[in-house]
Amino acid sequence: QAQYALRTFATSSPCRSRRICFTFKVTTDPSLLAEYKVAHKHVWPEMQDALQRQGWHQYSLFLRPDGLLVGVFESDRSLDECVKGMETEKINQVWQEAMQKYFPANRELRPDEQMVELEEIMFLDL
């Protein structure tokens, strides 16, 4: 019978204490979705600087065909703290307004207010 030992590892990234994952929904309109993808291939340098200042590191977005977006980043802060930090950045207001048309489900909330954090249940640093 095989014996298995539970091993725990710290993340391999220095000075990043945790990975954060969240979801939200974007449009499924093909032309708007194409625009959204282009916008994210060319994130404004000022927005990148703001994200970094507010604790967003190694940030990725993944898209499912039904419009489900999954975001993952590393930070030493909580998602709530990172979002609140971005609220202090003027460029974020401009970015959120530019992105609003891609989030038709709830026009009363900014896209970054629609994020739902997921619980990490496993991490293997292999």
Side-chain angles (χ1 to χ4, degrees), residues 44-124:
W44 308 329
E46 301 88 354
M47 187 64 174
Q48 292 181 43
D49 292 343
L51 286 163
Q52 188 170 18
R53 273 193 303 275
Q54 299 305 327
W56 302 68
H57 306 283
Q58 305 300 320
Y59 184 18
S60 295
L61 289 175
F62 301 88
L63 177 64
R64 205 167 68 179
D66 67 354
L68 179 70
L69 264 175
V70 177
V72 179
F73 68 99
E74 295 180 0
S75 186
D76 58 356
R77 306 173 196 174
S78 70
L79 176 61
D80 189 52
E81 290 171 318
C82 289
V83 170
K84 281 185 169 49
M86 287 303 293
E87 289 175 2
T88 68
E89 299 281 351
K90 290 181 183 179
I91 192 65
N92 186 56
Q93 182 176 353
V94 178
W95 180 267
Q96 296 302 320
E97 288 172 4
M99 295 297 110
Q100 188 67 48
K101 68 181 178 179
Y102 307 113
F103 293 84
N106 191 341
R107 299 250 184 228
E108 295 176 16
L109 296 175
R110 293 187 324 258
D112 64 353
E113 293 174 317
Q114 298 178 42
M115 297 173 174
V116 177
E117 187 169 2
L118 300 180
E119 175 186 4
E120 183 176 65
I121 61 167
M122 183 195 75
F123 173 69
L124 299 176

Coordinates of all heavy atoms in Angstrom, one line a residue, residues 44-124:
W44 N -3.4 50.1 -21.4 CA -2.6 51.3 -21.3 C -1.5 51.3 -20.3 O -1.7 50.8 -19.2 CB -3.6 52.5 -20.9 CG -4.8 52.6 -21.8 CD1 -4.9 52.3 -23.1 CD2 -6.1 53.1 -21.3 NE1 -6.2 52.5 -23.5 CE2 -6.9 53.0 -22.4 CE3 -6.5 53.6 -20.1 CZ2 -8.3 53.4 -22.4 CZ3 -7.9 53.9 -20.0 CH2 -8.7 53.9 -21.1
P45 N -0.3 51.8 -20.6 CA 0.8 51.8 -19.7 C 0.4 52.4 -18.3 O 0.8 51.9 -17.3 CB 1.9 52.6 -20.4 CG 1.6 52.4 -21.8 CD 0.1 52.4 -21.9
E46 N -0.4 53.5 -18.4 CA -0.8 54.2 -17.1 C -1.7 53.2 -16.3 O -1.6 53.2 -15.0 CB -1.6 55.4 -17.4 CG -0.8 56.5 -18.2 CD -1.0 56.3 -19.7 OE1 -1.6 55.3 -20.2 OE2 -0.5 57.2 -20.4
M47 N -2.5 52.4 -16.9 CA -3.3 51.4 -16.2 C -2.4 50.3 -15.6 O -2.6 49.9 -14.5 CB -4.4 50.9 -17.1 CG -5.4 50.0 -16.5 SD -6.3 50.9 -15.2 CE -7.5 49.6 -14.8
Q48 N -1.5 49.9 -16.4 CA -0.5 48.9 -15.9 C 0.2 49.4 -14.7 O 0.4 48.6 -13.7 CB 0.5 48.5 -17.0 CG -0.2 47.7 -18.1 CD 0.9 47.3 -19.2 OE1 2.0 46.9 -18.8 NE2 0.5 47.5 -20.4
D49 N 0.7 50.6 -14.7 CA 1.4 51.2 -13.6 C 0.5 51.3 -12.3 O 0.9 51.0 -11.2 CB 1.9 52.6 -13.9 CG 3.0 52.6 -14.9 OD1 3.6 51.6 -15.2 OD2 3.2 53.7 -15.5
A50 N -0.8 51.7 -12.6 CA -1.8 51.8 -11.4 C -2.0 50.4 -10.8 O -2.0 50.3 -9.6 CB -3.1 52.4 -11.9
L51 N -2.2 49.4 -11.7 CA -2.4 48.0 -11.2 C -1.2 47.6 -10.3 O -1.4 47.1 -9.2 CB -2.6 47.1 -12.3 CG -4.0 47.2 -13.0 CD1 -4.0 46.5 -14.4 CD2 -5.1 46.6 -12.2
Q52 N 0.0 47.8 -10.8 CA 1.1 47.4 -10.0 C 1.2 48.2 -8.7 O 1.5 47.6 -7.7 CB 2.4 47.7 -10.9 CG 3.6 47.1 -10.2 CD 4.8 47.1 -11.2 OE1 4.9 47.8 -12.1 NE2 5.8 46.3 -10.8
R53 N 1.0 49.5 -8.7 CA 1.0 50.3 -7.5 C 0.0 49.7 -6.4 O 0.2 49.8 -5.2 CB 0.7 51.7 -7.7 CG 1.8 52.6 -8.1 CD 1.5 54.1 -8.1 NE 0.4 54.4 -8.9 CZ 0.4 54.7 -10.2 NH1 1.6 54.7 -10.8 NH2 -0.6 55.1 -10.9
Q54 N -1.1 49.2 -6.9 CA -2.2 48.8 -6.1 C -2.2 47.3 -5.8 O -3.1 46.7 -5.2 CB -3.6 49.2 -6.6 CG -3.7 50.7 -6.8 CD -3.4 51.5 -5.5 OE1 -3.7 51.0 -4.4 NE2 -2.9 52.7 -5.6
G55 N -1.1 46.6 -6.1 CA -0.9 45.3 -5.6 C -1.2 44.2 -6.6 O -1.3 43.0 -6.2
W56 N -1.5 44.5 -7.8 CA -1.9 43.5 -8.8 C -0.6 43.1 -9.6 O 0.0 43.8 -10.3 CB -2.9 44.1 -9.9 CG -4.2 44.6 -9.3 CD1 -4.3 45.7 -8.5 CD2 -5.5 44.1 -9.5 NE1 -5.6 45.9 -8.2 CE2 -6.4 44.9 -8.8 CE3 -6.0 43.0 -10.2 CZ2 -7.7 44.7 -8.8 CZ3 -7.3 42.8 -10.2 CH2 -8.2 43.6 -9.5
H57 N -0.2 41.8 -9.4 CA 1.0 41.3 -10.1 C 0.7 40.0 -10.8 O -0.2 39.2 -10.3 CB 2.1 41.1 -9.0 CG 2.4 42.3 -8.2 ND1 3.1 43.3 -8.7 CD2 2.0 42.6 -7.0 CE1 3.2 44.3 -7.8 NE2 2.5 43.9 -6.7
Q58 N 1.4 39.7 -11.9 CA 1.2 38.4 -12.6 C -0.3 38.3 -13.0 O -0.9 37.2 -12.8 CB 1.7 37.2 -11.8 CG 3.1 37.4 -11.4 CD 4.1 37.5 -12.6 OE1 3.9 36.9 -13.6 NE2 5.1 38.4 -12.4
Y59 N -0.9 39.3 -13.5 CA -2.4 39.3 -13.7 C -2.7 38.7 -15.1 O -2.2 39.1 -16.1 CB -2.8 40.8 -13.6 CG -4.3 41.1 -13.8 CD1 -5.3 40.1 -13.6 CD2 -4.7 42.4 -14.1 CE1 -6.6 40.5 -13.7 CE2 -6.0 42.7 -14.2 CZ -7.0 41.7 -14.0 OH -8.3 42.1 -14.1
S60 N -3.7 37.8 -15.1 CA -4.1 37.1 -16.3 C -5.7 37.1 -16.3 O -6.3 37.0 -15.3 CB -3.7 35.7 -16.4 OG -2.3 35.6 -16.5
L61 N -6.2 37.2 -17.5 CA -7.7 37.0 -17.7 C -7.9 35.8 -18.7 O -7.1 35.7 -19.7 CB -8.3 38.2 -18.3 CG -8.5 39.4 -17.4 CD1 -9.0 40.6 -18.2 CD2 -9.4 39.1 -16.2
F62 N -8.8 35.0 -18.4 CA -9.2 33.8 -19.2 C -10.7 34.0 -19.5 O -11.5 34.4 -18.7 CB -9.0 32.5 -18.5 CG -7.5 32.3 -18.0 CD1 -7.1 32.8 -16.8 CD2 -6.7 31.6 -18.9 CE1 -5.8 32.6 -16.4 CE2 -5.3 31.5 -18.5 CZ -4.9 32.0 -17.3
L63 N -11.1 33.7 -20.8 CA -12.4 33.8 -21.3 C -13.0 32.5 -21.8 O -12.4 31.8 -22.6 CB -12.4 34.9 -22.4 CG -13.8 35.2 -23.1 CD1 -14.7 35.8 -22.1 CD2 -13.6 36.1 -24.3
R64 N -14.2 32.3 -21.3 CA -15.0 31.1 -21.8 C -16.0 31.6 -22.9 O -16.4 32.8 -22.8 CB -15.8 30.5 -20.6 CG -16.1 29.1 -20.7 CD -16.6 28.5 -19.5 NE -17.9 29.0 -19.0 CZ -18.5 28.6 -17.9 NH1 -18.0 27.7 -17.2 NH2 -19.7 29.2 -17.6
P65 N -16.3 30.8 -23.8 CA -17.2 31.3 -24.9 C -18.5 31.9 -24.5 O -19.1 32.7 -25.2 CB -17.4 30.0 -25.8 CG -16.3 29.2 -25.5 CD -15.9 29.4 -24.1
D66 N -19.0 31.5 -23.3 CA -20.3 32.1 -22.8 C -20.2 33.4 -22.1 O -21.1 33.9 -21.5 CB -21.0 31.1 -22.0 CG -20.3 30.8 -20.6 OD1 -19.2 31.3 -20.4 OD2 -20.9 30.1 -19.8
G67 N -19.0 34.0 -22.2 CA -18.7 35.3 -21.6 C -18.2 35.3 -20.2 O -18.0 36.3 -19.6
L68 N -18.0 34.1 -19.6 CA -17.4 34.0 -18.2 C -16.0 34.4 -18.3 O -15.2 33.8 -19.1 CB -17.6 32.6 -17.6 CG -17.0 32.5 -16.2 CD1 -17.8 33.2 -15.2 CD2 -16.9 31.0 -15.8
L69 N -15.6 35.4 -17.6 CA -14.2 35.8 -17.4 C -13.6 35.3 -16.1 O -14.3 35.4 -15.1 CB -14.1 37.3 -17.5 CG -13.8 38.0 -18.8 CD1 -13.8 39.5 -18.6 CD2 -12.4 37.6 -19.3
V70 N -12.4 34.8 -16.1 CA -11.8 34.4 -14.9 C -10.5 35.2 -14.8 O -9.7 35.1 -15.8 CB -11.5 32.8 -14.9 CG1 -10.7 32.5 -13.7 CG2 -12.8 32.0 -15.0
G71 N -10.3 35.9 -13.8 CA -9.1 36.6 -13.5 C -8.2 36.0 -12.4 O -8.8 35.5 -11.5
V72 N -6.9 36.0 -12.6 CA -6.0 35.5 -11.6 C -4.8 36.5 -11.5 O -4.3 36.9 -12.5 CB -5.5 34.1 -12.0 CG1 -4.5 33.6 -11.0 CG2 -6.6 33.1 -12.3
F73 N -4.5 36.8 -10.2 CA -3.3 37.6 -10.0 C -2.7 37.3 -8.7 O -3.3 36.6 -7.9 CB -3.6 39.1 -10.2 CG -4.5 39.7 -9.1 CD1 -4.0 40.4 -8.0 CD2 -5.9 39.6 -9.2 CE1 -4.8 41.0 -7.1 CE2 -6.7 40.2 -8.2 CZ -6.2 40.9 -7.2
E74 N -1.5 37.8 -8.4 CA -0.8 37.6 -7.2 C -0.8 38.9 -6.4 O -0.6 40.0 -7.1 CB 0.6 37.0 -7.4 CG 0.6 35.7 -8.0 CD 2.0 35.2 -8.2 OE1 3.0 35.9 -7.9 OE2 2.1 34.0 -8.7
S75 N -0.9 38.9 -5.1 CA -0.8 40.1 -4.3 C -0.6 39.8 -2.9 O -0.8 38.7 -2.4 CB -2.2 40.9 -4.4 OG -2.0 42.1 -3.8
D76 N -0.1 40.8 -2.2 CA 0.1 40.6 -0.7 C -1.2 41.3 0.0 O -1.2 41.4 1.2 CB 1.4 41.3 -0.2 CG 1.5 42.7 -0.6 OD1 0.6 43.3 -1.3 OD2 2.5 43.3 -0.2
R77 N -2.2 41.6 -0.8 CA -3.4 42.3 -0.3 C -4.6 41.4 -0.7 O -4.5 40.5 -1.6 CB -3.6 43.7 -1.0 CG -2.4 44.6 -0.8 CD -2.5 45.8 -1.5 NE -1.3 46.5 -1.6 CZ -1.1 47.6 -2.4 NH1 -2.0 48.2 -3.0 NH2 0.1 48.2 -2.4
S78 N -5.7 41.7 -0.2 CA -7.0 41.0 -0.5 C -7.5 41.6 -1.8 O -7.2 42.7 -2.2 CB -8.0 41.2 0.6 OG -8.5 42.5 0.6
L79 N -8.5 40.9 -2.5 CA -9.1 41.4 -3.7 C -9.8 42.8 -3.3 O -9.7 43.7 -4.1 CB -10.1 40.4 -4.2 CG -10.9 40.9 -5.4 CD1 -10.0 41.3 -6.6 CD2 -12.0 39.9 -5.8
D80 N -10.5 42.8 -2.2 CA -11.2 44.0 -1.8 C -10.2 45.2 -1.7 O -10.5 46.3 -2.2 CB -12.0 43.8 -0.5 CG -12.9 44.9 -0.2 OD1 -13.7 45.3 -1.1 OD2 -12.8 45.4 0.9
E81 N -9.1 45.0 -1.1 CA -8.1 46.0 -0.9 C -7.5 46.5 -2.3 O -7.3 47.7 -2.5 CB -6.9 45.6 0.0 CG -7.3 45.4 1.4 CD -6.2 44.7 2.3 OE1 -5.6 43.7 1.8 OE2 -6.0 45.2 3.4
C82 N -7.3 45.5 -3.2 CA -6.8 45.9 -4.5 C -7.8 46.7 -5.3 O -7.4 47.6 -5.9 CB -6.4 44.6 -5.2 SG -4.9 43.8 -4.6
V83 N -9.1 46.3 -5.2 CA -10.1 47.0 -5.9 C -10.3 48.4 -5.3 O -10.4 49.4 -6.1 CB -11.5 46.2 -5.9 CG1 -12.6 47.1 -6.5 CG2 -11.3 45.0 -6.8
K84 N -10.3 48.5 -4.0 CA -10.4 49.8 -3.4 C -9.2 50.7 -3.7 O -9.3 51.9 -3.9 CB -10.6 49.6 -1.8 CG -12.0 49.3 -1.4 CD -12.1 49.2 0.1 CE -13.5 49.1 0.6 NZ -14.3 48.2 0.1
G85 N -8.0 50.1 -3.8 CA -6.8 50.9 -4.2 C -7.0 51.4 -5.6 O -6.6 52.6 -5.8
M86 N -7.5 50.6 -6.5 CA -7.7 51.1 -7.8 C -8.7 52.2 -7.9 O -8.6 53.1 -8.8 CB -8.1 49.9 -8.7 CG -7.0 48.9 -9.1 SD -5.5 49.7 -9.8 CE -6.2 50.2 -11.4
E87 N -9.6 52.3 -7.0 CA -10.6 53.4 -6.9 C -9.9 54.7 -6.7 O -10.4 55.8 -7.1 CB -11.6 53.2 -5.9 CG -12.6 52.0 -6.2 CD -13.6 51.7 -5.0 OE1 -13.5 52.4 -4.0 OE2 -14.4 50.8 -5.2
T88 N -8.7 54.7 -6.2 CA -8.0 56.0 -5.9 C -7.2 56.4 -7.2 O -6.6 57.5 -7.2 CB -7.0 55.8 -4.7 OG1 -5.9 54.9 -5.1 CG2 -7.7 55.3 -3.5
E89 N -7.1 55.6 -8.2 CA -6.4 55.8 -9.4 C -7.3 56.5 -10.4 O -8.2 55.9 -10.9 CB -5.7 54.6 -9.9 CG -4.8 53.9 -9.0 CD -3.4 54.5 -8.9 OE1 -3.1 55.4 -9.8 OE2 -2.6 54.1 -8.1
K90 N -6.9 57.7 -10.9 CA -7.8 58.4 -11.9 C -7.9 57.6 -13.2 O -8.9 57.6 -13.8 CB -7.2 59.8 -12.1 CG -7.4 60.7 -11.0 CD -6.9 62.1 -11.2 CE -7.1 63.0 -10.0 NZ -6.5 64.3 -10.2
I91 N -6.8 57.0 -13.6 CA -6.8 56.2 -14.8 C -7.8 55.1 -14.8 O -8.4 54.7 -15.8 CB -5.4 55.7 -15.2 CG1 -5.4 55.2 -16.7 CG2 -4.9 54.7 -14.3 CD1 -5.7 56.3 -17.7
N92 N -8.0 54.5 -13.6 CA -9.0 53.4 -13.4 C -10.4 53.9 -13.8 O -11.1 53.1 -14.4 CB -8.9 52.8 -12.0 CG -9.8 51.6 -11.9 OD1 -9.6 50.6 -12.6 ND2 -10.7 51.6 -11.0
Q93 N -10.8 55.1 -13.4 CA -12.1 55.5 -13.7 C -12.3 55.6 -15.2 O -13.3 55.2 -15.7 CB -12.4 56.9 -13.1 CG -13.8 57.4 -13.3 CD -14.1 58.7 -12.6 OE1 -13.3 59.2 -11.9 NE2 -15.2 59.3 -13.0
V94 N -11.3 56.1 -15.9 CA -11.4 56.2 -17.4 C -11.4 54.8 -18.0 O -12.2 54.5 -18.9 CB -10.1 57.0 -17.9 CG1 -10.1 57.0 -19.4 CG2 -10.1 58.4 -17.3
W95 N -10.6 53.9 -17.5 CA -10.6 52.5 -18.0 C -12.0 51.8 -17.7 O -12.5 51.2 -18.6 CB -9.5 51.7 -17.3 CG -9.4 50.3 -17.8 CD1 -10.0 49.2 -17.2 CD2 -8.8 49.7 -18.9 NE1 -9.8 48.0 -17.9 CE2 -9.0 48.4 -19.0 CE3 -8.0 50.3 -19.9 CZ2 -8.5 47.5 -20.0 CZ3 -7.4 49.5 -20.9 CH2 -7.7 48.1 -20.9
Q96 N -12.5 51.9 -16.5 CA -13.8 51.3 -16.2 C -14.9 51.8 -17.1 O -15.8 51.1 -17.5 CB -14.1 51.5 -14.7 CG -13.1 50.8 -13.7 CD -13.0 49.3 -14.0 OE1 -14.0 48.6 -14.2 NE2 -11.8 48.8 -13.8
E97 N -14.9 53.1 -17.3 CA -15.9 53.7 -18.2 C -15.8 53.2 -19.6 O -16.8 52.9 -20.3 CB -15.8 55.3 -18.2 CG -16.3 55.9 -16.9 CD -16.0 57.4 -16.8 OE1 -15.5 58.0 -17.8 OE2 -16.3 57.9 -15.7
A98 N -14.5 53.0 -20.1 CA -14.3 52.5 -21.4 C -14.7 51.0 -21.5 O -15.2 50.6 -22.6 CB -12.8 52.6 -21.8
M99 N -14.6 50.3 -20.4 CA -15.0 48.8 -20.4 C -16.5 48.6 -20.2 O -16.9 47.5 -20.4 CB -14.1 48.1 -19.3 CG -12.6 48.1 -19.6 SD -12.2 47.2 -21.1 CE -11.6 48.6 -22.1
Q100 N -17.2 49.6 -19.7 CA -18.6 49.4 -19.3 C -19.4 48.8 -20.4 O -20.3 47.9 -20.1 CB -19.2 50.7 -18.8 CG -20.6 50.6 -18.2 CD -20.5 49.9 -16.9 OE1 -19.7 50.2 -16.0 NE2 -21.4 48.9 -16.7
K101 N -19.2 49.1 -21.6 CA -20.1 48.6 -22.7 C -20.0 47.1 -22.9 O -20.8 46.5 -23.5 CB -19.8 49.3 -24.0 CG -18.5 49.1 -24.6 CD -18.3 49.9 -25.9 CE -17.0 49.7 -26.5 NZ -16.8 50.5 -27.7
Y102 N -18.9 46.5 -22.4 CA -18.7 45.1 -22.5 C -19.4 44.3 -21.4 O -19.3 43.0 -21.4 CB -17.2 44.7 -22.5 CG -16.5 45.6 -23.6 CD1 -15.5 46.5 -23.2 CD2 -16.7 45.4 -24.9 CE1 -14.9 47.2 -24.2 CE2 -16.1 46.1 -25.9 CZ -15.2 47.1 -25.5 OH -14.5 47.8 -26.5
F103 N -20.0 45.0 -20.4 CA -20.6 44.3 -19.3 C -22.1 44.7 -19.2 O -22.5 45.5 -18.4 CB -19.9 44.7 -18.0 CG -18.5 44.2 -17.9 CD1 -17.4 44.9 -18.5 CD2 -18.2 43.0 -17.2 CE1 -16.1 44.4 -18.5 CE2 -16.9 42.6 -17.2 CZ -15.9 43.3 -17.8
P104 N -22.9 44.1 -20.1 CA -24.3 44.5 -20.2 C -25.2 44.1 -19.0 O -26.3 44.6 -18.8 CB -24.8 43.9 -21.5 CG -23.9 42.7 -21.6 CD -22.6 43.1 -21.0
A105 N -24.8 43.1 -18.3 CA -25.6 42.5 -17.2 C -26.0 43.5 -16.1 O -27.2 43.5 -15.7 CB -25.0 41.3 -16.6
N106 N -25.1 44.3 -15.7 CA -25.4 45.3 -14.7 C -24.7 46.6 -15.0 O -23.6 46.8 -14.6 CB -24.9 44.7 -13.3 CG -25.5 45.5 -12.2 OD1 -25.9 46.7 -12.3 ND2 -25.5 44.9 -11.0
R107 N -25.4 47.5 -15.6 CA -24.9 48.8 -16.0 C -24.7 49.7 -14.8 O -24.1 50.8 -14.9 CB -25.7 49.4 -17.1 CG -25.8 48.6 -18.4 CD -25.0 49.3 -19.4 NE -25.1 48.5 -20.7 CZ -24.1 48.2 -21.4 NH1 -22.9 48.6 -21.1 NH2 -24.3 47.5 -22.5
E108 N -25.3 49.4 -13.7 CA -25.3 50.3 -12.5 C -24.0 50.1 -11.8 O -23.6 51.0 -11.0 CB -26.5 50.0 -11.6 CG -27.8 50.4 -12.3 CD -29.0 50.1 -11.4 OE1 -28.8 49.8 -10.2 OE2 -30.1 50.0 -12.0
L109 N -23.3 49.0 -12.0 CA -22.0 48.8 -11.3 C -20.9 48.9 -12.3 O -21.0 48.5 -13.5 CB -22.0 47.4 -10.7 CG -23.0 47.1 -9.6 CD1 -22.9 45.7 -9.2 CD2 -22.7 48.0 -8.4
R110 N -19.7 49.4 -11.9 CA -18.5 49.4 -12.7 C -18.1 47.9 -12.9 O -18.4 47.0 -12.1 CB -17.4 50.1 -12.0 CG -17.5 51.6 -11.9 CD -16.2 52.2 -11.3 NE -15.5 51.3 -10.3 CZ -15.6 51.5 -9.0 NH1 -16.2 52.5 -8.5 NH2 -14.9 50.7 -8.2
P111 N -17.4 47.6 -14.0 CA -17.0 46.2 -14.2 C -16.2 45.6 -13.0 O -16.4 44.5 -12.6 CB -16.1 46.3 -15.4 CG -16.7 47.4 -16.2 CD -17.1 48.4 -15.2
D112 N -15.3 46.5 -12.4 CA -14.5 46.0 -11.2 C -15.4 45.8 -10.0 O -14.9 45.1 -9.0 CB -13.3 46.8 -11.0 CG -13.6 48.2 -10.6 OD1 -14.8 48.7 -10.6 OD2 -12.7 49.0 -10.2
E113 N -16.6 46.3 -9.9 CA -17.5 46.0 -8.8 C -18.3 44.8 -9.0 O -19.0 44.3 -8.1 CB -18.5 47.2 -8.7 CG -17.8 48.5 -8.2 CD -18.7 49.7 -8.2 OE1 -19.6 49.8 -9.2 OE2 -18.7 50.5 -7.3
Q114 N -18.2 44.1 -10.2 CA -18.9 42.9 -10.5 C -18.1 41.6 -10.2 O -18.6 40.5 -10.5 CB -19.4 42.9 -11.9 CG -20.4 44.1 -12.1 CD -20.9 44.2 -13.6 OE1 -21.2 43.2 -14.2 NE2 -20.9 45.4 -14.1
M115 N -16.9 41.8 -9.8 CA -16.0 40.6 -9.6 C -16.5 39.8 -8.4 O -16.8 40.3 -7.3 CB -14.6 41.1 -9.3 CG -13.9 41.8 -10.4 SD -12.3 42.5 -9.9 CE -11.7 43.2 -11.4
V116 N -16.5 38.5 -8.6 CA -16.8 37.5 -7.5 C -15.6 36.7 -7.2 O -15.1 35.9 -8.1 CB -18.0 36.6 -7.9 CG1 -18.3 35.6 -6.9 CG2 -19.2 37.5 -8.3
E117 N -15.0 36.8 -6.0 CA -13.8 36.1 -5.7 C -14.1 34.6 -5.5 O -15.1 34.2 -4.9 CB -13.2 36.6 -4.4 CG -11.8 36.0 -4.1 CD -11.1 36.8 -3.1 OE1 -11.6 37.7 -2.5 OE2 -9.9 36.4 -2.8
L118 N -13.2 33.8 -6.0 CA -13.3 32.3 -5.8 C -12.3 31.9 -4.7 O -11.2 32.4 -4.6 CB -12.9 31.6 -7.1 CG -13.8 31.9 -8.3 CD1 -13.3 31.1 -9.5 CD2 -15.3 31.6 -8.0
E119 N -12.7 30.9 -4.0 CA -11.9 30.3 -3.0 C -10.9 29.3 -3.6 O -11.2 28.5 -4.4 CB -12.7 29.5 -2.0 CG -12.0 28.8 -0.9 CD -12.8 27.9 0.0 OE1 -14.1 27.8 -0.3 OE2 -12.3 27.3 0.9
E120 N -9.6 29.5 -3.3 CA -8.6 28.6 -3.7 C -8.7 27.3 -2.8 O -8.6 27.4 -1.6 CB -7.2 29.2 -3.7 CG -6.1 28.3 -4.2 CD -4.8 28.9 -4.2 OE1 -4.2 29.2 -3.2 OE2 -4.2 29.1 -5.3
I121 N -8.8 26.2 -3.4 CA -8.9 25.0 -2.6 C -7.7 24.0 -2.8 O -7.6 23.1 -2.1 CB -10.2 24.2 -2.9 CG1 -10.3 23.8 -4.4 CG2 -11.5 25.0 -2.6 CD1 -11.4 22.7 -4.7
M122 N -6.9 24.4 -3.8 CA -5.7 23.5 -4.0 C -4.6 24.4 -4.7 O -4.9 25.2 -5.5 CB -6.0 22.3 -4.8 CG -4.8 21.4 -5.0 SD -4.9 20.2 -6.4 CE -4.7 21.3 -7.8
F123 N -3.4 24.2 -4.3 CA -2.2 24.8 -4.9 C -1.1 23.8 -4.8 O -0.7 23.4 -3.7 CB -1.9 26.1 -4.3 CG -0.6 26.7 -4.8 CD1 -0.5 27.2 -6.1 CD2 0.6 26.7 -4.0 CE1 0.7 27.8 -6.6 CE2 1.7 27.3 -4.5 CZ 1.8 27.8 -5.8
L124 N -0.5 23.5 -6.0 CA 0.6 22.6 -6.0 C 1.8 23.4 -6.7 O 1.7 23.8 -7.8 CB 0.4 21.4 -6.9 CG -0.7 20.5 -6.4 CD1 -1.0 19.3 -7.4 CD2 -0.4 19.9 -5.0

